[in-house]
């Protein structure tokens, strides 16, 4: 009986181990790829979709940008940002995890789920802060 | 030691079918306790949001309020009917579906023999719940069951060129115009509805987005350049042909193939798979929300 319990615990530990090992290797290769071409141009991050990008324009428009790029309207437009967010830290926190402020939002938790790095969130916040 | 190695290998190779649900979106219908109340809450929400859209008009989705979408669908439907161009892909898929429906199965029976009235109206008897197993049986599953019962191999639910896609399109066409008439009464049916509802309102993937975010909460708004359609009416008009951006032709998309596409666009690591339990449950809930609307198969949709 003891042997079985021991085996079960060992198996559970190994299972956890292989899970984290799997995650680590996946994260490591993902990070390596990200590091190789981590996008830091805020305009590209804002307007482009796909992996490694911000996808911001899928939901948010910049009315002052008249270049004609398609932008969604599911989220509020990027306008009067300094008035709406006198403290830019709050804007960064919203990009990182808007669910913390609005539980039914559909805005992805870019920081919490590591979709963007803190540095990328910084440059995006600076970029939209001018509008 | 051998046992441990085996357990380790088994544990690592356990398949994961879909991203886990990490919370729910509390929008119209979420808090309703019964299928009837859920449907009513969603209908009320949309009647308030789009007072001009009534009854059967819901099957036209975003075309109800977007002239651009209307024009797009009009031109592409024209192409489908060879008005000015022979679209790539589309005729081949139709021919494949007809072949799958009409060619006798290994024991000599035909697909039409598996259903009452030669298959006319059969799609409208699904999705239903198998009382014994509690599982949702879709029309596509019934088509595969028919094939297997008469000696043929089941078709791949995710194959839109030579698999279930083309067969589903042709077989569902025989129910065009019939109105969805789902009733949810037994405990097994209620459980299936609740499971499907959880998938619809459940947040999943890295973006933590739910079907309900786009197709209830934000329906009628624009995602980048795409108008978001309301949940009501969606399940009534699949499979659809959509524009293939690579070939500029048309490609077929079944309802469950669309679920996968939606989850791919919202960055799910393991998008929900065609023919999976989650997908079948979702189809059960989703179809109920289109109750009373007429079916149509093989139409063009953006």
């Amino acid at each position: 009986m003891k042997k079985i319990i021991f085996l079960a615990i060992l198996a559970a530990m190994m299972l956890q181990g292989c899970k984290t090992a799997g995650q680590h290797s996946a994260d490591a290769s993902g990070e390596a790829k990200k590091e190789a071409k981590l996008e830091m141009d805020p305009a590209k991050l804002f307007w482009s979709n796909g992996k490694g990008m911000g996808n911001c324009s899928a939901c948010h428009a910049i009315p002052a940008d008249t270049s004609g790029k398609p932008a969604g309207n599911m989220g509020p437009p990027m306008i009067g940002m300094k008035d709406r967010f006198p403290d830019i830290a709050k804007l960064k926190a919203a990009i990182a995890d808007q669910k913390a402020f609005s539980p039914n939002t559909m805005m992805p938790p870019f920081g919490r789920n590591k979709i963007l790095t803190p540095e990328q969130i910084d440059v995006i916040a600076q970029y939209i802060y001018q509008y | 030691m051998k046992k441990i190695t085996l357990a380790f290998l088994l544990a690592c190779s356990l398949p994961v079918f879909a991203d886990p649900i990490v919370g729910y979106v509390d929008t119209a219908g979420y808090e309703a306790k019964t299928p009837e109340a859920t449907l009513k809450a969603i209908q009320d929400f949309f009647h308030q949001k789009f007072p001009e859209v009534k009854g059967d008009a819901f099957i036209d989705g975003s075309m109800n309020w977007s002239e651009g979408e209307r024009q797009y669908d009009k031109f592409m439907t024209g192409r489908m009917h060879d008005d000015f161009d022979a679209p790539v892909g589309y005729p081949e898929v139709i021919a494949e579906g007809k072949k799958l429906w009409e060619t006798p199965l290994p024991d000599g029976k035909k697909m039409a023999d598996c259903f009452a009235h030669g298959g006319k109206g059969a799609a409208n008897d699904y999705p239903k719940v198998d009382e014994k197993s509690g599982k949702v049986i879709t029309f596509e599953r019934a088509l595969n069951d028919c094939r297997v019962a008469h000696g043929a191999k089941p078709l791949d639910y995710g194959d839109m060129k030579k698999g279930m896609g083309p067969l589903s399109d042709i077989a569902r066409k025989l129910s065009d115009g019939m109105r969805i008439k789902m009733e949810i009464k037994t405990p097994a049916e209620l459980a299936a509805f609740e499971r499907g509802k959880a998938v619809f309102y459940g947040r999943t993937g890295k973006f933590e987005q739910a079907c309900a975010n786009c197709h209830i909460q934000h329906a009628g708004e624009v995602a980048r350049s795409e108008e978001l359609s309301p949940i009501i009416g969606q399940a009534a008009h699949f499979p659809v042909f959509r524009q293939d951006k690579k070939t500029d032709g048309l490609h077929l998309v079944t309802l469950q193939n669309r679920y996968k596409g939606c989850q791919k666009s919202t960055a799910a690591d393991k998008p929900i798979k065609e023919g999976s339990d989650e997908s079948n449950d979702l189809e059960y809930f989703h179809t109920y929300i289109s109750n009373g609307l007429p079916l149509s198969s093989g139409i063009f949709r953006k």
Side-chain angles (χ1 to χ4, degrees), chain B residues 1-12:
Chain B
M1 192 59 204
K2 245 186 192 170
K3 266 187 201 161
I4 299 173
T5 319
L6 200 70
F8 177 74
L9 284 175
L10 251 166
C12 281

Side-chain angles (χ1 to χ4, degrees), chain A residues 18 57-58 73 104-105 113, chain B residues 12 26 203 206 217 222 224:
Chain A
C18 82
S57 60
N73 64 4
N104 283 313
T105 186
N113 278 359
Chain B
C12 281
D26 187 359
R203 292 177 176 276
K206 267 199 212 63
Q217 194 185 33
V222 178
R224 200 174 300 274

Side-chain angles (χ1 to χ4, degrees), chain B residues 81-97:
Chain B
H81 297 118
D82 285 348
D83 273 0
F84 57 84
D85 199 356
V88 188
Y90 163 70
E92 292 94 287
V93 169
I94 298 269
E96 183 65 27

